[in-house]
Amino acid sequence: MARIAIIGLGLIGGSLGLALKRSRLRDVEFAGYARSRETREKARKMGAIDRAASDATDAVRDAAVVIIATPIAAIPDIMEQIAPALPQDCVITDVASTKAQVMRWAEELLPHHVSFVGGHPMAGKERSGIDVADAALFEGKPYCIVPFVHAKETAVNTVVGLADLVGASPVFMDAEEHDSYVAAISHLPLVVSTALFSLVRDSAAWPEMAQLASSGFRDVTRLASGSPEMSEDICHTNAQNIIHWLDRMVAELRKYRDLIRGDDEEALFKAFARVQLERDAFLAGGAKVKRPERPVEAGIGLSDLLMGHWAASRTREVMKAVESQEPPAGRAHRSRHRPQRER
Ligand code: NAD
């Protein structure tokens, strides 16, 4: 039996295990490791893994694929620990929310006889831990695939195949590009959500305001309930990009303050109206990104995944659609015209 190892069995690692185990992948054993014995046992009982390993090295022994799903700060230690035990040609991937630092660690700490391909599923919840793991978490969501320029095609196809098996849509990009984009669409909202909550919570009138705070306040501050450990890791490993976007946010808020303070009523109305239309259009476009029904087909083996035949044919299908500029039914894909990098 071929083996996939998952190290870190929280929201993302546990959800990947559940989703892969209910996918078409056959004849694969899932070995899992997390720091706490209780988490390992829970993951096994929930069916996210088949076997709880006694340590990270034990989990990766004989593994064809290793998924590192720990907090970002734990990744270099994990890479160091597992490096001597990784089998020849093993494919390693991760799920970390930032990529440039992780790619540097992989280059530095992993042996040359394995292939690392970075990954980041654009799906999550504000709660963490195995208890909130969910097999459907990745359905219809983008999954960033970040290969080294010298990555082996089979290794890239393996990670594309994993993303596809969990119901996500693979999106290729390089690490710098990834970190600059997620700083805007994910990390800035996290900081803004936290700052908004802390600003209002620290007000002397909080007891009165809290009674009135309803869905709008809850929606906009939802991300402030995320794991502080993960938020800190994200800020440490993507500081420059986040600071860049925070500076722009401050300027944007000043713009709205000036509009509100000024006497140009039309300009104020236009600012709100334009954004309402643009956000509605964004949501309408996003809503169209639905996955097609899974074709009923026989299970695929890990060897198919590793050989890349199946994944390669899916990639070709996506590429053909990109070339004809028609998205394959229900699939998100990148525009051929890359947006200018914001710096
Ligand atoms: P989590 O806290 O739910 O799970 C982390 C798991 O890693 C736990 O099982 C914990 O026991 C284990 N762990 C921690 N340190 C370890 C170590 N040294 N050795 C072995 N296991 C260890 O966190 P999560 O939300 O699943 O996040 C995991 C990764 O996924 C992070 O790198 C995060 O950046 C990324 N990510 C998170 C989200 C999200 O919304 N939560 C979304 C996309 C990507």
Side-chain angles (χ1 to χ4, degrees):
M1 225 193 236
R3 176 179 296 171
I4 292 181
I6 306 178
I7 302 176
L9 297 166
L11 170 68
I12 302 295
S15 300
L16 280 173
L18 290 172
L20 286 169
K21 274 169 62 68
R22 78 167 192 188
S23 74
R24 289 156 291 161
L25 208 49
R26 298 288 169 258
D27 303 324
V28 176
E29 183 206 53
F30 287 82
Y33 174 71
R35 262 185 321 191
S36 106
R37 173 191 278 270
E38 193 193 339
T39 302
R40 300 196 292 266
E41 277 314 307
K42 254 189 198 164
R44 196 181 55 76
K45 284 191 184 135
M46 282 168 69
I49 53 170
D50 300 307
R51 184 174 76 79
S54 54
D55 55 38
T57 311
D58 174 36
V60 306
R61 201 163 285 125
D62 301 326
V65 177
V66 174
I67 303 169
I68 303 177
T70 63
I72 305 172
I75 293 177
D77 278 351
I78 296 286
M79 285 180 175
E80 264 179 331
Q81 276 175 47
I82 63 174
L86 291 170
Q88 182 80 26
D89 294 330
C90 180
V91 177
I92 330 285
T93 186
D94 75 309
V95 296
S97 308
T98 57
K99 293 271 69 80
Q101 179 61 64
V102 174
M103 301 299 282
R104 285 195 287 274
W105 286 328
E107 186 98 85
E108 192 188 321
L109 301 170
L110 294 176
H112 292 298
H113 64 262
V114 303
S115 294
F116 182 84
V117 179
H120 178 200
M122 299 301 296
K125 292 183 185 176
E126 61 274 23
R127 300 285 166 213
S128 47
I130 188 70
D131 291 330
V132 287
D134 173 3
L137 186 68
F138 311 104
E139 282 284 340
K141 301 290 184 347
Y143 197 120
C144 300
I145 311 272
V146 181
F148 284 117
V149 277
H150 51 77
K152 280 190 191 163
E153 196 183 337
T154 50
V156 177
N157 285 339
T158 300
V159 180
V160 170
L162 287 178
D164 205 284
L165 281 171
V166 300
S169 300
V171 184
F172 286 94
M173 59 184 62
D174 71 44
E176 306 295 335
E177 198 178 18
H178 169 275
D179 287 0
S180 70
Y181 297 159
V182 294
I185 53 94
S186 180
H187 306 163
L188 176 68
L190 168 67
V191 179
V192 169
S193 172
T194 306
L196 173 62
F197 190 86
S198 106
L199 170 71
V200 179
R201 170 66 184 78
D202 290 348
S203 158
W206 169 247
E208 289 74 29
M209 292 193 289
Q211 289 177 18
L212 308 181
S214 188
S215 48
F217 188 72
R218 282 166 191 268
D219 286 352
V220 183
T221 58
R222 182 178 68 82
L223 296 175
S225 291
S227 146
E229 186 187 20
M230 189 171 92
S231 304
E232 187 196 11
D233 283 358
I234 285 172
C235 292
H236 277 157
T237 53
N238 202 16
Q240 267 190 330
N241 287 310
I242 297 174
I243 290 167
H244 164 84
W245 279 100
L246 279 173
D247 288 342
R248 293 188 61 172
M249 185 72 197
V250 170
E252 190 74 4
L253 287 173
R254 284 216 176 92
K255 195 179 91 186
Y256 281 88
R257 186 193 60 180
D258 292 347
L259 280 171
I260 293 165
R261 188 194 266 163
D263 51 13
D264 186 346
E265 279 176 25
E266 200 185 330
L268 181 62
F269 172 78
K270 271 188 184 161
F272 283 110
R274 180 178 65 86
V275 174
Q276 184 205 30
L277 287 175
E278 286 172 354
R279 185 168 184 276
D280 283 354
F282 160 71
L283 293 180
K288 277 190 210 137
V289 181
K290 252 192 185 167
R291 281 181 67 82
E293 286 297 306
R294 287 264 160 87
V296 181
E297 58 179 75
I300 66 160
L302 189 62
S303 55
D304 295 311
L305 193 63
L306 290 169
M307 290 304 290
H309 294 315
W310 172 79
S313 75
R314 305 296 289 158
T315 308
R316 272 197 299 277
E317 189 191 307
V318 173
M319 292 312 292
K320 233 193 274 166
V322 170
E323 266 148 33
S324 66
Q325 297 226 314
E326 276 175 26
R331 277 175 168 272
H333 62 82
R334 298 195 69 204
S335 158
R336 289 203 296 173
H337 307 289
R338 290 184 167 203
Q340 288 289 324
R341 173 122 19 119
E342 299 265 14
R343 282 283 175 206

PDB file of all heavy atoms in Angstrom, residues 13 15 66 68 85 103 112 114 142 152 168 175 180 187 205 216 272-273 282 288 302 316 325 329 340-341:
ATOM      1  N   GLY A  13      -4.928  20.261   8.036  1.00  0.00           N
ATOM      2  CA  GLY A  13      -4.426  18.890   7.888  1.00  0.00           C
ATOM      3  C   GLY A  13      -5.548  17.877   8.038  1.00  0.00           C
ATOM      4  O   GLY A  13      -5.665  16.918   7.263  1.00  0.00           O
ATOM      5  N   SER A  15      -8.791  18.391   7.606  1.00  0.00           N
ATOM      6  CA  SER A  15      -9.751  18.516   6.487  1.00  0.00           C
ATOM      7  C   SER A  15      -9.188  17.864   5.224  1.00  0.00           C
ATOM      8  O   SER A  15      -9.928  17.222   4.461  1.00  0.00           O
ATOM      9  CB  SER A  15     -10.058  19.992   6.201  1.00  0.00           C
ATOM     10  OG  SER A  15     -10.615  20.611   7.331  1.00  0.00           O
ATOM     11  N   VAL A  66       4.183  13.776   1.211  1.00  0.00           N
ATOM     12  CA  VAL A  66       4.128  14.312   2.590  1.00  0.00           C
ATOM     13  C   VAL A  66       3.477  15.687   2.543  1.00  0.00           C
ATOM     14  O   VAL A  66       3.873  16.545   1.745  1.00  0.00           O
ATOM     15  CB  VAL A  66       5.545  14.440   3.200  1.00  0.00           C
ATOM     16  CG1 VAL A  66       5.491  15.131   4.557  1.00  0.00           C
ATOM     17  CG2 VAL A  66       6.216  13.066   3.315  1.00  0.00           C
ATOM     18  N   ILE A  68       2.779  18.942   4.830  1.00  0.00           N
ATOM     19  CA  ILE A  68       3.070  19.606   6.108  1.00  0.00           C
ATOM     20  C   ILE A  68       1.970  20.633   6.364  1.00  0.00           C
ATOM     21  O   ILE A  68       1.809  21.587   5.599  1.00  0.00           O
ATOM     22  CB  ILE A  68       4.454  20.292   6.085  1.00  0.00           C
ATOM     23  CG1 ILE A  68       5.549  19.269   5.756  1.00  0.00           C
ATOM     24  CG2 ILE A  68       4.741  20.961   7.440  1.00  0.00           C
ATOM     25  CD1 ILE A  68       6.951  19.866   5.638  1.00  0.00           C
ATOM     26  N   ALA A  85      14.726  11.027   6.890  1.00  0.00           N
ATOM     27  CA  ALA A  85      13.855   9.848   6.725  1.00  0.00           C
ATOM     28  C   ALA A  85      13.071   9.874   5.413  1.00  0.00           C
ATOM     29  O   ALA A  85      12.349   8.925   5.099  1.00  0.00           O
ATOM     30  CB  ALA A  85      12.871   9.797   7.898  1.00  0.00           C
ATOM     31  N   MET A 103       9.393  28.512   0.995  1.00  0.00           N
ATOM     32  CA  MET A 103      10.183  28.017  -0.142  1.00  0.00           C
ATOM     33  C   MET A 103      11.682  28.109   0.191  1.00  0.00           C
ATOM     34  O   MET A 103      12.458  27.225  -0.176  1.00  0.00           O
ATOM     35  CB  MET A 103       9.885  28.807  -1.418  1.00  0.00           C
ATOM     36  CG  MET A 103       8.441  28.805  -1.881  1.00  0.00           C
ATOM     37  SD  MET A 103       7.741  27.201  -2.287  1.00  0.00           S
ATOM     38  CE  MET A 103       8.410  26.866  -3.898  1.00  0.00           C
ATOM     39  N   HIS A 112      18.163  16.816  -1.714  1.00  0.00           N
ATOM     40  CA  HIS A 112      17.961  16.987  -3.156  1.00  0.00           C
ATOM     41  C   HIS A 112      17.210  15.825  -3.812  1.00  0.00           C
ATOM     42  O   HIS A 112      16.712  15.975  -4.921  1.00  0.00           O
ATOM     43  CB  HIS A 112      19.312  17.196  -3.848  1.00  0.00           C
ATOM     44  CG  HIS A 112      19.918  18.513  -3.457  1.00  0.00           C
ATOM     45  ND1 HIS A 112      19.313  19.717  -3.746  1.00  0.00           N
ATOM     46  CD2 HIS A 112      21.052  18.814  -2.773  1.00  0.00           C
ATOM     47  CE1 HIS A 112      20.035  20.704  -3.263  1.00  0.00           C
ATOM     48  NE2 HIS A 112      21.091  20.185  -2.650  1.00  0.00           N
ATOM     49  N   VAL A 114      14.395  14.684  -3.017  1.00  0.00           N
ATOM     50  CA  VAL A 114      12.930  14.813  -2.922  1.00  0.00           C
ATOM     51  C   VAL A 114      12.503  16.075  -3.665  1.00  0.00           C
ATOM     52  O   VAL A 114      13.338  16.917  -3.992  1.00  0.00           O
ATOM     53  CB  VAL A 114      12.455  14.882  -1.446  1.00  0.00           C
ATOM     54  CG1 VAL A 114      12.899  13.675  -0.671  1.00  0.00           C
ATOM     55  CG2 VAL A 114      12.923  16.172  -0.762  1.00  0.00           C
ATOM     56  N   PRO A 142     -10.115  28.188  -4.579  1.00  0.00           N
ATOM     57  CA  PRO A 142      -8.810  28.177  -5.265  1.00  0.00           C
ATOM     58  C   PRO A 142      -7.758  27.489  -4.381  1.00  0.00           C
ATOM     59  O   PRO A 142      -7.866  27.538  -3.159  1.00  0.00           O
ATOM     60  CB  PRO A 142      -8.470  29.666  -5.415  1.00  0.00           C
ATOM     61  CG  PRO A 142      -9.711  30.419  -5.056  1.00  0.00           C
ATOM     62  CD  PRO A 142     -10.540  29.535  -4.179  1.00  0.00           C
ATOM     63  N   LYS A 152      10.142  19.184 -10.650  1.00  0.00           N
ATOM     64  CA  LYS A 152       9.831  18.094 -11.582  1.00  0.00           C
ATOM     65  C   LYS A 152       8.344  18.153 -11.934  1.00  0.00           C
ATOM     66  O   LYS A 152       7.507  18.361 -11.047  1.00  0.00           O
ATOM     67  CB  LYS A 152      10.097  16.750 -10.900  1.00  0.00           C
ATOM     68  CG  LYS A 152      11.533  16.346 -10.871  1.00  0.00           C
ATOM     69  CD  LYS A 152      11.606  14.905 -10.402  1.00  0.00           C
ATOM     70  CE  LYS A 152      13.037  14.531 -10.098  1.00  0.00           C
ATOM     71  NZ  LYS A 152      13.131  13.335  -9.284  1.00  0.00           N
ATOM     72  N   ALA A 168     -10.772  21.349  -4.966  1.00  0.00           N
ATOM     73  CA  ALA A 168     -10.331  22.735  -5.156  1.00  0.00           C
ATOM     74  C   ALA A 168      -9.885  22.956  -6.599  1.00  0.00           C
ATOM     75  O   ALA A 168      -9.733  22.009  -7.363  1.00  0.00           O
ATOM     76  CB  ALA A 168      -9.180  23.043  -4.200  1.00  0.00           C
ATOM     77  N   ALA A 175       6.143  32.416  -5.527  1.00  0.00           N
ATOM     78  CA  ALA A 175       5.988  32.701  -4.099  1.00  0.00           C
ATOM     79  C   ALA A 175       5.833  34.198  -3.811  1.00  0.00           C
ATOM     80  O   ALA A 175       5.005  34.593  -2.988  1.00  0.00           O
ATOM     81  CB  ALA A 175       7.185  32.145  -3.336  1.00  0.00           C
ATOM     82  N   SER A 180       2.377  38.753  -2.204  1.00  0.00           N
ATOM     83  CA  SER A 180       1.901  40.130  -2.375  1.00  0.00           C
ATOM     84  C   SER A 180       0.380  40.152  -2.569  1.00  0.00           C
ATOM     85  O   SER A 180      -0.295  41.047  -2.063  1.00  0.00           O
ATOM     86  CB  SER A 180       2.632  40.844  -3.515  1.00  0.00           C
ATOM     87  OG  SER A 180       2.264  40.316  -4.740  1.00  0.00           O
ATOM     88  N   HIS A 187      -4.478  39.015   4.350  1.00  0.00           N
ATOM     89  CA  HIS A 187      -3.789  39.466   5.563  1.00  0.00           C
ATOM     90  C   HIS A 187      -4.208  40.882   5.978  1.00  0.00           C
ATOM     91  O   HIS A 187      -4.353  41.150   7.167  1.00  0.00           O
ATOM     92  CB  HIS A 187      -2.266  39.366   5.364  1.00  0.00           C
ATOM     93  CG  HIS A 187      -1.851  37.991   4.939  1.00  0.00           C
ATOM     94  ND1 HIS A 187      -0.639  37.712   4.370  1.00  0.00           N
ATOM     95  CD2 HIS A 187      -2.508  36.799   4.989  1.00  0.00           C
ATOM     96  CE1 HIS A 187      -0.576  36.423   4.092  1.00  0.00           C
ATOM     97  NE2 HIS A 187      -1.695  35.855   4.443  1.00  0.00           N
ATOM     98  N   ALA A 205     -17.459  53.401  25.901  1.00  0.00           N
ATOM     99  CA  ALA A 205     -18.885  53.133  25.680  1.00  0.00           C
ATOM    100  C   ALA A 205     -19.140  51.699  25.194  1.00  0.00           C
ATOM    101  O   ALA A 205     -20.241  51.369  24.776  1.00  0.00           O
ATOM    102  CB  ALA A 205     -19.433  54.133  24.661  1.00  0.00           C
ATOM    103  N   GLY A 216     -23.572  43.345  10.964  1.00  0.00           N
ATOM    104  CA  GLY A 216     -22.529  44.087  10.246  1.00  0.00           C
ATOM    105  C   GLY A 216     -21.219  44.056  11.010  1.00  0.00           C
ATOM    106  O   GLY A 216     -20.159  43.727  10.468  1.00  0.00           O
ATOM    107  N   PHE A 272     -19.476  55.499  -2.813  1.00  0.00           N
ATOM    108  CA  PHE A 272     -20.196  54.327  -2.308  1.00  0.00           C
ATOM    109  C   PHE A 272     -20.844  53.539  -3.456  1.00  0.00           C
ATOM    110  O   PHE A 272     -20.814  52.311  -3.470  1.00  0.00           O
ATOM    111  CB  PHE A 272     -21.271  54.751  -1.296  1.00  0.00           C
ATOM    112  CG  PHE A 272     -20.708  55.087   0.058  1.00  0.00           C
ATOM    113  CD1 PHE A 272     -20.697  56.386   0.530  1.00  0.00           C
ATOM    114  CD2 PHE A 272     -20.182  54.082   0.867  1.00  0.00           C
ATOM    115  CE1 PHE A 272     -20.173  56.691   1.788  1.00  0.00           C
ATOM    116  CE2 PHE A 272     -19.654  54.376   2.122  1.00  0.00           C
ATOM    117  CZ  PHE A 272     -19.650  55.690   2.583  1.00  0.00           C
ATOM    118  N   ALA A 273     -21.429  54.257  -4.421  1.00  0.00           N
ATOM    119  CA  ALA A 273     -22.168  53.591  -5.501  1.00  0.00           C
ATOM    120  C   ALA A 273     -21.234  52.762  -6.381  1.00  0.00           C
ATOM    121  O   ALA A 273     -21.545  51.632  -6.764  1.00  0.00           O
ATOM    122  CB  ALA A 273     -22.899  54.640  -6.339  1.00  0.00           C
ATOM    123  N   PHE A 282     -18.242  41.421  -8.563  1.00  0.00           N
ATOM    124  CA  PHE A 282     -17.268  40.441  -8.065  1.00  0.00           C
ATOM    125  C   PHE A 282     -17.994  39.223  -7.486  1.00  0.00           C
ATOM    126  O   PHE A 282     -17.653  38.078  -7.783  1.00  0.00           O
ATOM    127  CB  PHE A 282     -16.375  41.105  -7.008  1.00  0.00           C
ATOM    128  CG  PHE A 282     -15.673  40.150  -6.089  1.00  0.00           C
ATOM    129  CD1 PHE A 282     -14.629  39.354  -6.561  1.00  0.00           C
ATOM    130  CD2 PHE A 282     -16.049  40.015  -4.756  1.00  0.00           C
ATOM    131  CE1 PHE A 282     -13.976  38.459  -5.729  1.00  0.00           C
ATOM    132  CE2 PHE A 282     -15.410  39.117  -3.912  1.00  0.00           C
ATOM    133  CZ  PHE A 282     -14.376  38.342  -4.399  1.00  0.00           C
ATOM    134  N   LYS A 288     -20.335  32.160  -9.900  1.00  0.00           N
ATOM    135  CA  LYS A 288     -20.375  31.260 -11.065  1.00  0.00           C
ATOM    136  C   LYS A 288     -19.332  30.148 -10.953  1.00  0.00           C
ATOM    137  O   LYS A 288     -19.396  29.164 -11.642  1.00  0.00           O
ATOM    138  CB  LYS A 288     -20.099  32.065 -12.337  1.00  0.00           C
ATOM    139  CG  LYS A 288     -21.320  32.753 -12.875  1.00  0.00           C
ATOM    140  CD  LYS A 288     -20.990  33.315 -14.253  1.00  0.00           C
ATOM    141  CE  LYS A 288     -21.816  34.556 -14.511  1.00  0.00           C
ATOM    142  NZ  LYS A 288     -21.041  35.625 -15.113  1.00  0.00           N
ATOM    143  N   LEU A 302      -2.439   5.854  -6.147  1.00  0.00           N
ATOM    144  CA  LEU A 302      -1.412   6.867  -5.899  1.00  0.00           C
ATOM    145  C   LEU A 302      -0.404   6.878  -7.033  1.00  0.00           C
ATOM    146  O   LEU A 302       0.148   7.912  -7.384  1.00  0.00           O
ATOM    147  CB  LEU A 302      -0.719   6.585  -4.563  1.00  0.00           C
ATOM    148  CG  LEU A 302       0.220   7.671  -4.095  1.00  0.00           C
ATOM    149  CD1 LEU A 302      -0.526   8.980  -3.874  1.00  0.00           C
ATOM    150  CD2 LEU A 302       0.920   7.265  -2.812  1.00  0.00           C
ATOM    151  N   ARG A 316      -4.182  19.827 -18.831  1.00  0.00           N
ATOM    152  CA  ARG A 316      -4.336  20.117 -20.274  1.00  0.00           C
ATOM    153  C   ARG A 316      -5.730  20.678 -20.556  1.00  0.00           C
ATOM    154  O   ARG A 316      -5.899  21.608 -21.325  1.00  0.00           O
ATOM    155  CB  ARG A 316      -4.091  18.847 -21.090  1.00  0.00           C
ATOM    156  CG  ARG A 316      -2.621  18.646 -21.452  1.00  0.00           C
ATOM    157  CD  ARG A 316      -2.470  17.649 -22.583  1.00  0.00           C
ATOM    158  NE  ARG A 316      -2.986  16.347 -22.231  1.00  0.00           N
ATOM    159  CZ  ARG A 316      -2.300  15.424 -21.540  1.00  0.00           C
ATOM    160  NH1 ARG A 316      -1.075  15.690 -21.137  1.00  0.00           N
ATOM    161  NH2 ARG A 316      -2.827  14.267 -21.248  1.00  0.00           N
ATOM    162  N   GLN A 325     -10.169  30.895 -24.023  1.00  0.00           N
ATOM    163  CA  GLN A 325     -10.746  31.923 -23.153  1.00  0.00           C
ATOM    164  C   GLN A 325     -12.103  31.548 -22.604  1.00  0.00           C
ATOM    165  O   GLN A 325     -12.872  32.386 -22.203  1.00  0.00           O
ATOM    166  CB  GLN A 325     -10.835  33.254 -23.884  1.00  0.00           C
ATOM    167  CG  GLN A 325      -9.474  33.771 -24.260  1.00  0.00           C
ATOM    168  CD  GLN A 325      -9.327  35.224 -23.931  1.00  0.00           C
ATOM    169  OE1 GLN A 325     -10.209  35.994 -24.219  1.00  0.00           O
ATOM    170  NE2 GLN A 325      -8.217  35.605 -23.338  1.00  0.00           N
ATOM    171  N   ALA A 329     -16.363  24.117 -17.564  1.00  0.00           N
ATOM    172  CA  ALA A 329     -17.529  24.278 -16.698  1.00  0.00           C
ATOM    173  C   ALA A 329     -17.143  24.352 -15.237  1.00  0.00           C
ATOM    174  O   ALA A 329     -16.575  23.430 -14.688  1.00  0.00           O
ATOM    175  CB  ALA A 329     -18.471  23.108 -16.937  1.00  0.00           C
ATOM    176  N   GLN A 340      -0.647  43.662 -12.810  1.00  0.00           N
ATOM    177  CA  GLN A 340       0.621  44.260 -12.394  1.00  0.00           C
ATOM    178  C   GLN A 340       0.832  43.998 -10.922  1.00  0.00           C
ATOM    179  O   GLN A 340      -0.095  44.098 -10.141  1.00  0.00           O
ATOM    180  CB  GLN A 340       0.549  45.782 -12.588  1.00  0.00           C
ATOM    181  CG  GLN A 340       0.577  46.213 -14.026  1.00  0.00           C
ATOM    182  CD  GLN A 340       1.943  46.015 -14.647  1.00  0.00           C
ATOM    183  OE1 GLN A 340       2.933  46.201 -13.986  1.00  0.00           O
ATOM    184  NE2 GLN A 340       1.988  45.614 -15.898  1.00  0.00           N
ATOM    185  N   ARG A 341       2.053  43.639 -10.538  1.00  0.00           N
ATOM    186  CA  ARG A 341       2.327  43.462  -9.124  1.00  0.00           C
ATOM    187  C   ARG A 341       2.237  44.804  -8.423  1.00  0.00           C
ATOM    188  O   ARG A 341       2.790  45.791  -8.867  1.00  0.00           O
ATOM    189  CB  ARG A 341       3.735  42.880  -8.934  1.00  0.00           C
ATOM    190  CG  ARG A 341       4.129  42.831  -7.478  1.00  0.00           C
ATOM    191  CD  ARG A 341       4.477  41.485  -6.946  1.00  0.00           C
ATOM    192  NE  ARG A 341       4.818  40.482  -7.897  1.00  0.00           N
ATOM    193  CZ  ARG A 341       6.011  39.899  -7.897  1.00  0.00           C
ATOM    194  NH1 ARG A 341       6.943  40.280  -7.070  1.00  0.00           N
ATOM    195  NH2 ARG A 341       6.263  38.925  -8.728  1.00  0.00           N
TER     196      ARG A 341
END
